[in-house]
Amino acid sequence: MVAPCLLILGYAFFERGTWGGVVYTFTLENFERVFDPLYARIFLNSARIAATVTLLAILIAYPAAYAISRAPKSRQAILLFFAVLPFWSNYLIRTYAWIVLLNREGLVNSVLRWGGYEGEPLSMLYSEGAVIVGLVYNYLPFVILAIYSSLSRLDMSLVEASRDLGAGPVRTFLRVTLPLTLPGVAAGGVFVFVLSIGNFVTPALLGGGRFQMIGNLVYDQFLTANDWPFGAALGMILIAIMIVLLTLQARATNRAAGTTREAIR
C-alpha cells in the first residue's frame, strides 16, 4: 500500500512530457496548479457534496443502528444482514439501478403518475441530487455498521444511572448515549466523506458529466489528458485530506474513551 503512494508522490514532483508521460525534471508547478481557482472550485464543490452525503448518511444511519442495537439479540443478526444486503451486488449494478429509478420513465415517475400526478415527468437524473442520493445509498451500510459497533459496546449501566438520577430519555440520549457513541459516528462519517470526495463512478453515471468532482478530475488527468504528474498532485492532496480527517477521528476517539473512563470512576 505504501509503494503506490510513494510512486504517486514522486510523479507529483516531475514535469509532464510533450506527448504525455513523465519527464524526470523536478518542479513544484503541479502543486501550484492545484490552487488555481478553476481546480480549487472543483475541490470546494466536491467537499460540499461529500459533506452533504456524510451528514445525510449519519442522520439516516444513526436511528437505524440505534433500532438494531435495541432489538432482541436474536434479531440483531438478521437486521444487520438486511443492512449490508446491498453489498452483495456490484457497485456499478447498484448505481445503474438508480438510473432506472430516477429517469423520466423510471419507477419514481411511474408511481407519481399512478398516484394521480398529471404534469411533466420530473427530471431527477443527471443532477447533483441524483449523485448525492447514489452516494448515500452506496455508503450507508458502512455508517450503520460503525455506529452499531459503538452502540453495542455502550455501557448500559451509565444510561440506567442517568435515568435513576432523574434525566428523561431525551436528556439521557443527548448527555450520555450520543457523546459515548461519537467515535462510531466519526468513524462512519470520515469513511463516507473520504470515499465520496474521491468517487468518480457515481458522478459520471448519475451526474451525466454535467459537473465534475475531484475524482473525475484525477481520472481525466491520468486516462484522458495523459498528465500524470498533475493527476498525482491532485491524488496527493486527497491523501492529505484523508490523513487529516483520520487524525481528527483518532483524537475524537481518544477523547471519548477518556470521558467514558471518567464517567465510570
Side-chain angles (χ1 to χ4, degrees):
M1 185 176 67
V2 175
C5 291
L6 292 177
L7 182 63
I8 293 297
L9 178 62
Y11 280 160
F13 290 100
F14 294 126
E15 295 181 353
R16 175 182 183 272
T18 304
W19 307 105
V22 179
V23 176
Y24 295 97
T25 303
F26 181 82
T27 180
L28 294 176
E29 182 182 351
N30 298 310
F31 287 99
E32 294 174 358
R33 288 178 62 192
V34 171
F35 297 98
D36 182 276
L38 172 63
Y39 303 119
R41 187 165 56 250
I42 295 175
F43 258 108
L44 292 175
N45 189 52
S46 301
R48 179 180 57 79
I49 292 175
T52 304
V53 171
T54 302
L55 178 61
L56 291 175
I58 291 174
L59 290 177
I60 297 171
Y62 200 102
Y66 189 88
I68 294 173
S69 68
R70 294 296 175 269
K73 290 289 184 182
S74 58
R75 297 180 183 174
Q76 290 186 14
I78 298 175
L79 294 174
L80 286 174
F81 168 78
F82 283 110
V84 301
L85 188 59
F87 285 165
W88 287 34
S89 60
N90 184 275
Y91 184 94
L92 284 175
I93 294 175
R94 298 199 302 270
T95 305
Y96 274 114
W98 278 104
I99 295 178
V100 176
L101 290 171
L102 298 178
N103 69 61
R104 292 173 66 87
E105 302 300 326
L107 181 62
V108 175
N109 277 309
S110 299
V111 170
L112 289 176
R113 282 196 294 271
W114 179 79
Y117 178 73
E118 298 179 352
E120 286 291 320
L122 300 180
S123 298
M124 295 172 284
L125 194 59
Y126 305 137
S127 65
E128 182 176 305
V131 174
I132 290 174
V133 168
L135 290 173
V136 170
Y137 174 76
N138 280 310
Y139 296 138
L140 185 62
F142 291 118
V143 192
I144 293 177
L145 291 177
I147 297 176
Y148 170 80
S149 177
S150 282
L151 285 167
S152 62
R153 293 197 305 267
L154 181 64
D155 188 349
M156 293 306 296
S157 64
L158 299 176
V159 177
E160 294 172 1
S162 174
R163 292 177 178 173
D164 291 342
L165 292 173
V170 175
R171 190 173 185 183
T172 297
F173 174 78
L174 294 177
R175 300 293 296 273
V176 179
T177 304
L178 183 59
L180 294 179
T181 54
L182 280 181
V185 176
V190 169
F191 197 85
V192 171
F193 185 88
V194 170
L195 290 178
S196 297
I197 197 173
N199 193 294
F200 63 93
V201 175
T202 301
L205 294 179
L206 299 183
R210 293 186 177 182
F211 61 95
Q212 199 169 35
M213 291 181 66
I214 192 63
N216 305 100
L217 184 59
V218 173
Y219 177 90
D220 291 341
Q221 296 304 317
F222 275 99
L223 299 182
T224 304
N226 284 327
D227 193 346
W228 288 22
F230 183 51
L234 292 169
M236 292 312 303
I237 295 297
L238 283 177
I239 293 175
I241 292 173
M242 180 185 68
I243 292 174
V244 169
L245 291 175
L246 290 176
T247 302
L248 294 175
Q249 180 214 337
R251 288 185 178 180
T253 301
N254 292 334
R255 181 173 298 179
T259 303
T260 304
R261 285 194 295 270
E262 290 178 2
I264 294 175
R265 290 173 185 169

